[in-house]
Amino acid sequence: MATGVEALDAIVLAAGAGKRFGGGKLTSVWGDGLLLDAALAAAFASPARTVSVVWGADGRVLEAASRYASRTGQAPRLRMIHAREHEEGMAASLRAGVEGLPRDCAGAFIFLGDMPKVPHGLPAKLAQALAAGAWAAAPVHGERRGHPVLFGSKLFAVLKTQTGDRGASKLLDALGEDLALVPVDDPGVLFDVDERVG
């Protein structure tokens, strides 16, 4: 599907310790593979040139991501970024990912490593919204905003200043009409293994 925006890249946030899960969440078994595999599948299915996996607390994420990319023929698109300040929370991983984007990146998809049911056709629709003039685009199911989110390059400088463990949710709240909300029927945009497993 043509998106109208060519220089897009993806970031998979995978630096958390998964303490509520008991540790090792992203490298735990999910379906026929690992939880991280499912998130990577969605990211590689997106119209992104590169997929950067931001890791931090669990070094096994490095091996898992590399193994998945090699097995699926996506190794040339994979990049690994270490979030040195990952203990701060999600914003530290987001900052590291954005700082590592190619200079000519026009927009970045932000995927969460623990959300394995993102519909693979969604990112192209988000890209179309960005091409139509939105500063950012996010899916909405029912009345809840979900993931992944696509940020245009106009917001990269602001993303690099985010702090805490809520990522960029406050920034999205403040965008108003500059945020395109893309309605989706698939609840996978909300599904997080912290809410339920299986």
Side-chain angles (χ1 to χ4, degrees):
M1 180 184 292
T3 64
V5 181
E6 299 303 322
L8 298 176
D9 296 277
I11 297 169
V12 179
L13 301 183
K19 292 179 180 178
R20 285 176 290 176
F21 189 82
K25 177 167 65 172
L26 298 183
T27 54
S28 64
V29 174
W30 175 271
D32 295 330
L34 305 180
L35 179 57
L36 180 62
D37 292 351
L40 288 174
F44 282 122
S46 75
R49 304 172 301 176
T50 65
V51 174
S52 296
V53 176
V54 182
W55 68 281
D58 189 350
R60 291 172 295 182
V61 166
L62 279 168
E63 180 183 353
S66 297
R67 187 168 58 244
Y68 177 85
S70 296
R71 186 173 73 246
T72 58
Q74 297 290 353
R77 295 172 68 195
L78 178 68
R79 304 168 74 236
M80 300 299 299
I81 297 174
H82 184 229
R84 293 186 299 273
E85 301 174 335
H86 61 86
E87 292 185 1
E88 174 192 326
M90 188 182 297
S93 300
L94 183 59
R95 292 196 307 267
V98 174
E99 287 169 359
L101 288 169
R103 287 189 175 185
D104 65 340
C105 179
F109 297 98
I110 309 299
F111 291 85
L112 303 186
D114 61 356
M115 294 189 69
K117 294 188 176 183
V118 169
H120 290 192
L122 171 62
K125 296 178 181 179
L126 300 179
Q128 290 178 330
L130 198 70
W135 287 32
V140 60
H141 178 71
E143 297 183 359
R144 293 180 61 191
R145 192 172 66 217
H147 289 88
V149 176
L150 174 58
F151 289 95
S153 58
K154 294 177 181 179
L155 297 172
F156 289 174
V158 180
L159 288 173
K160 293 177 184 178
T161 68
Q162 300 301 295
T163 58
D165 197 36
R166 289 194 63 203
S169 59
K170 289 183 179 179
L171 170 59
L172 291 173
D173 292 341
L175 283 178
E177 294 183 355
D178 289 321
L179 171 63
L181 294 175
V182 178
V184 295
D185 293 330
D186 194 325
V189 299
L190 305 176
F191 181 86
D192 184 324
V193 296
D194 282 339
E195 296 178 3
R196 60 188 188 275
V197 178

